[in-house]
Structure formats: structure tokens, C-alpha cells
Amino acid sequence: MSANPSTQGQAETGARPFSLRLSARDLLRVAIFAVIFIVATYVIGMLGIISPLVWLLIVPLQAIVGGVTVLLFLTRVRHAGMLTLFGVVVAMFYLVGGNTLLSSTGIVGLGLVAELILWAGRYRSKWAMIWAYTVFGLSFFTPFLPLLVDRTAYLASSNFTDMGKAYVHASDTLLSVPVISLLACIVLASSFLGGVFGSAILGKHFVRAGLA
Amino acid sequence: MPVPSLRPRRGLDPRAKILLVIGCSIVVMSPAGLRFVPFALLLAIGLALGERDWRRAASLPAAAGVMWVLGWWLPLWWPNALTAVVSLACVYLIRFVVAIGVGAHVIVTTSPTQLAAALRIWRIPRPFAVTLAVMLRFFPVVGAEANAVLDAMRLRGLVGAGGLLRHPVLSVERFTVPMIAASLRASEDLSASAILRGLGSRRKPTAMQPPRFATPDLVLVLVTATLTTAALTLPAPLS
């Protein structure tokens, strides 16, 4: 991936980096990459059906897979608003697909923060793209947010208390704030790795194929 | 000989479907949401049967049944820390199964033009409405490309949880690179065609079939109200 891939794109869209005006082609780009992002992470996530334990291991892997798609998308982002729009439509789609309102709001917030990071790098910096994805990759942690915010209510469900001491102890440990925070740190580290991996994959495959 | 009607069967109003799925997600995913899970599952199965989608109608109770056995019965039969962890995950995931079941109905039965018309009536800003409608159009394309790549990987014996866990990064690369490249190539033609047909135009388009509240929506409202009342008044089987 080039650190300065801009001139061709600016000529192509005629857009200034900080303009908020989105052309039809910008909207199509956001839509295409949002779909690729959702499908790629969904296919990997389907492996989690094998076992809930595999599901927990798959979450960091999803963050790595998302890195390839988002980094390729960010090389085509020419001005402000596109990453925020990406975050909003992904969040809206997840909301329709069964995510919680809290989780979807979290994704929108992460998209905004990632947009600010990209803006600070003037939409051209490779490291700003990697850090922007590192923040946005936390969206894979957002489905766990309700467990963190309303832990007591989830544990108060009677089936948790009917199943014996071992069960209550395991649930108390597994849903504790330190364990969920550890998971957030793992997802954050995986997102960073996903950003670096995505950047490497762009250089290895997509630039050579003329797609980045 | 009877002439088949050219008018397509009128389904649910897309706005009713969107409100239904968001309502279901909020209710089922709330802390007390387990009480609503069986009733929302009935609703999801009913919607699938209404569309004659037998596969979805069969897979939803099967998935929820597996979660129920692993989440509620496994720790009673074989109590230890491992089954407790599996059970906890299933108790949380069964909510997703139900919410995804209702959401799948919206995604499968709503066309991009219907969604765009519904969002226009709600005065959703153009960037969001156009992007969401285009996403709905691209899902089958990207899904087909992903399936083709998975088939090719399967032929070479590269698909499987074992291989993924042994070489995660290599597996990810083998899947994502051809999938993204093929999807982008397929999307170029669709993008050009969509722009030529006026997608993203600032003029307000008209809909061939504007969304209207009709009898199926009334039936949906009545069924949802009955199931909600039942969930609130009957003893909760899962919680």
C-alpha cells in the first residue's frame, strides 16, 4: 500500500479531502465494502457454530479478516464522511440482523472516532489507516457490551441460580469485568494486527492486481 | 385456461418489517429477554412459513433447540466448569438465533427498490437510504463469490476448523483475497449500471409499488400483539 495514493483518486472524483459531499460513486463504494466486510466476517463467524468456545476464539480472527477489507476500503476513501457512513450502515445492518441497540450505537461511535483519526492523517497516512481500523475493529467486541453494562440483570435470571454452585461460580468468573475487559484488549490487539496484516496484504496482492 | 396474474403477491410493508425486527431485537436482547425468546421464535418460524421458506422454517427451531439443550440441560446432566461455560454462551446466543431469524425475513423478502421507497417515505437522508438499498442488491453477488471461493477451497481440502485454527492467517488470506478481488470485479459492472439508471440522483424518484399498510400488515400487528401478551402473562419457560 502506498502512503500517498491520492492524486489519481482526487482527479477521479474531483473531491477535496475535507468535503462532506458524497457522490453516487462514493455511496456505491461504501455499500460494496460494507457488504464485503459483513460477508467476510460472517463466513468466518459461522465456524463459531461448531462450539461456543470456538466462537470466542473466532472473534479475534474476525477482527483480522475485517482488517483486509477495511484497509482496502480506506485506500479508496478520498474525503470526510465515508468511514462514518460505513460505520452507520454496518451498525444498521447488524441491528436488523439481531444486534443490540447498545452494540449498534457503539459501532457508530467507533466509526466516528476512526474517522477523526483518518482526518488527522489527512486521509492519506498509512498509519492513520491502521490506527483507524484498530479503533473500528473494536466493533467486534460490541456484542459483549450488554454483558458489561447490565451484568447483574443478566446474572439474575433464575436459570443461573438453578444449576448449582459450579455453574454460578463459572458464570460469575466468566462474566466478570476483568474477563470481559481482557476480551476487549484481545480484540483491540487483533484489530491492530488486522490493520497491519491488511496493509501487508494490500502490498502483496491488491496493489499488484491494480485493485488498490 | 386461466391467465396467471402479472401483479406480484403483495407482502408485508417494508416499514412494518423493519419496525418489527428492531422491536424484536430490542426486546429479545434486553436483560429480561429470555421470556420473549420462545414467542419471537414462533413469530420467526411463522414468517418463514408464510414465505414458504421451508429451509429457514426448519433450521430456526433446530438451531434454537441445540442452544436450549446445551444451555439448559447439559449443565444439569454433566455439571462441571466446561459445560457451565458452554451453557452460558448458549443462553446468550439463543437470543441472537431468534433475532437473526426475524431479521433474515426482512433481508430475504425486501427488494432494494422497496427498501429505498420505504426509507424515502421516512425521510432518511439520501446517503444512508441509497447505501442501504445498494447493500441489499450486492449481498447476493458477494455471497455467491464467497461460496465460489469456499467451494474452490473445499476441492483442495483447505476448508475446516482444524486448518483454520492451525494456520489462521494463511486460511484468512486464502479466503479473503480471492473473495474481495472477485466481488470488486463483479461490483464494477453493477455500479456502472446503477449510476446509468440514475442511482444517487438528487431528483426524487417515484416507486412502481409505493409501500402501503395492507391486510398482511394488520395480521402481523395482531399476531405480534397476541404473542407479546402471551409472553407477558404466561409462565416463562426459559428464564
Side-chain angles (χ1 to χ4, degrees), chain A residues 158-159, chain B residues 34-39 68 72-73 230-231 234-239:
Chain A
S158 65
N159 78 307
Chain B
L34 282 175
R35 169 179 279 276
F36 295 94
V37 165
F39 301 96
W68 181 62
W72 276 262
W73 291 100
L234 294 177
L238 289 187
S239 54

Side-chain angles (χ1 to χ4, degrees), chain A residues 20-209:
Chain A
L20 271 171
R21 197 182 168 89
L22 298 170
S23 67
R25 194 160 280 281
D26 291 333
L27 300 181
L28 281 163
R29 265 185 199 147
V30 173
I32 292 161
F33 279 97
V35 172
I36 295 175
F37 177 78
I38 291 166
V39 170
T41 51
Y42 176 78
V43 168
I44 300 290
M46 282 305 280
L47 290 168
I49 284 179
I50 299 164
S51 145
L53 286 178
V54 177
W55 177 57
L56 286 176
L57 295 174
I58 289 292
V59 173
L61 202 59
Q62 283 181 308
I64 293 176
V65 172
V68 181
T69 315
V70 174
L71 263 284
L72 183 57
F73 168 64
L74 293 182
T75 60
R76 294 167 185 224
V77 168
R78 300 299 171 206
H79 53 84
M82 285 176 75
L83 185 56
T84 306
L85 179 62
F86 182 87
V88 171
V89 292
V90 167
M92 285 167 96
F93 185 81
Y94 280 160
L95 185 66
V96 172
N99 228 343
T100 59
L101 206 56
L102 180 66
S103 168
S104 292
T105 315
I107 297 174
V108 175
L110 290 169
L112 270 170
V113 176
E115 176 89 49
L116 285 175
I117 296 172
L118 214 54
W119 177 81
R122 300 183 66 79
Y123 295 91
R124 302 290 176 267
S125 157
K126 170 182 154 182
W127 280 102
M129 290 178 189
I130 292 173
W131 285 115
Y133 177 68
T134 305
V135 170
F136 188 73
L138 273 175
S139 56
F140 294 102
F141 172 72
T142 55
F144 298 94
L145 271 181
L147 293 176
L148 198 65
V149 173
D150 216 346
R151 177 175 176 272
T152 326
Y154 277 99
L155 283 177
S157 172
S158 65
N159 78 307
F160 286 110
T161 49
D162 289 345
M163 292 179 181
K165 278 184 181 172
Y167 189 92
V168 173
H169 180 69
S171 59
D172 210 36
T173 312
L174 195 74
L175 298 181
S176 64
V177 174
V179 171
I180 294 179
S181 308
L182 178 70
L183 184 67
C185 293
I186 292 172
V187 173
L188 192 70
S190 308
S191 307
F192 177 72
L193 283 177
V196 174
F197 176 64
S199 172
I201 290 285
L202 290 193
K204 188 177 167 190
H205 296 290
F206 293 114
V207 172
R208 213 181 284 173

Side-chain angles (χ1 to χ4, degrees), chain B residues 20 24 43 217-230:
Chain B
L20 174 75
C24 268
L43 181 67
D217 303 292
L218 184 64
V219 173
L220 179 74
V221 169
L222 293 175
V223 169
T224 311
T226 312
L227 288 174
T228 310
T229 315

